[in-house]
Amino acid sequence: MDGAGALQEVIHGERQLVLPDGVALQASCWRPRQGGPWPALLMRQPYGRPLASTMVYAHPAWYAAHGYLVVVQDVRGCGDSGGSFRLFANEARDGSCTMAWLRTQPECNGRIGCYGFSYQGLTQLLWDGPDGPDCTAPAMAGLSLQHHWCRDGRADWWVLGLAWALSWRQQPVSGAGTAGPTAASAKPFTAGIFLKRGGAFSSRRTPRITCCAGGRATGKHPWRLQDWMPCCGAPCS
């Protein structure tokens, strides 16, 4: 069977997981039309699940056509999932709840692998409890922002953090699903001024994200290095 024929044998659907605190997480699922149960591939990400990191990975339907149940979930506070997004703060607990839920789904044979890069890579490494995934394939990720991601010594890569905050801000807000990019949010990039004006825009549009890339803006000009300090270690709020 050719590739197009194989993809026609894939079923796509939507699932919802309600967490113990009442927050609902939304997921898209792909599976083969025939057979099952199958091993599952899980991606948890904050960028809107329709994207599914397809700029660097095959579409989930491709993996499903090769015999997997594929689940791409919007993390808390992102895309169509409920709750508030707090940078990395809820991923261990929510990820473990997701994995326990996924193992019980009738289409899953109980074995789960995780994949993804960057934020989707870190969600593979944070778990609350001894029951981890059967395999992981993280890329461009690490457990420590300070040592693995966003610093040289004690110097923050504040450019990276600011660019990420702005790009994330162009994603749909929680529960809305349709916010998407705006001319105002794209302007710091298109005009080449994101270092100067992007920080103020990001903090104005998304005040609950106050910590980024291991540093915290402390003055009126977060694009200036002297107005950043090392992260206090408290969860972002």
Side-chain angles (χ1 to χ4, degrees):
M1 181 181 298
D2 59 21
L7 293 180
Q8 292 178 0
E9 296 302 314
V10 170
I11 296 177
H12 170 250
E14 302 294 325
R15 297 288 178 87
Q16 181 184 90
L17 164 64
V18 179
L19 298 168
D21 62 0
V23 170
L25 302 184
Q26 304 296 329
S28 295
C29 304
W30 293 260
R31 64 174 178 84
R33 189 176 298 274
Q34 303 293 333
W38 305 273
L41 296 178
L42 172 65
M43 176 188 290
R44 305 187 62 253
Q45 50 77 55
Y47 304 114
R49 65 190 185 282
L51 183 62
S53 294
T54 49
M55 74 291 288
V56 291
Y57 293 102
H59 190 276
W62 184 89
Y63 299 108
H66 287 77
Y68 292 94
L69 167 66
V70 186
V71 178
V72 180
Q73 183 186 68
D74 289 335
V75 301
R76 179 187 294 252
C78 296
D80 293 318
S81 289
S84 297
F85 178 74
R86 302 179 67 191
L87 189 68
F88 304 138
N90 297 297
E91 304 310 346
R93 179 175 60 252
D94 292 355
S96 292
C97 288
T98 298
M99 189 169 58
W101 165 81
L102 183 54
R103 289 193 195 277
T104 66
Q105 297 304 295
E107 300 91 346
C108 179
N109 67 5
R111 299 184 64 80
I112 300 174
C114 298
Y115 75 109
F117 79 110
S118 192
Y119 202 103
Q120 300 87 281
L122 187 64
T123 58
Q124 303 174 50
L125 304 177
L126 300 177
W127 304 101
D128 184 15
D131 183 17
D134 297 289
C135 65
T136 60
M140 293 177 60
L143 286 173
S144 170
L145 287 176
Q146 178 175 353
H147 297 294
H148 301 153
W149 279 30
C150 303
R151 284 188 181 182
D152 283 328
R154 299 192 58 163
D156 292 310
W157 297 354
W158 53 276
V159 174
L160 172 64
L162 180 55
W164 180 86
L166 283 171
S167 63
W168 182 88
R169 190 60 195 91
Q170 295 187 71
Q171 305 304 317
V173 295
S174 175
T178 57
T182 64
S185 64
K187 184 176 180 179
F189 287 116
T190 58
I193 56 173
F194 82 95
L195 289 182
K196 184 174 182 180
R197 300 184 185 177
F201 175 81
S202 181
S203 61
R204 183 173 70 252
R205 289 291 301 274
T206 316
R208 68 179 181 272
I209 302 181
T210 57
C211 180
C212 189
R216 185 178 298 273
T218 60
K220 296 181 179 180
H221 307 289
W223 55 88
R224 293 189 339 205
L225 189 59
Q226 59 265 38
D227 284 321
W228 282 73
M229 59 178 267
C231 179
C232 64
C236 302
S237 59

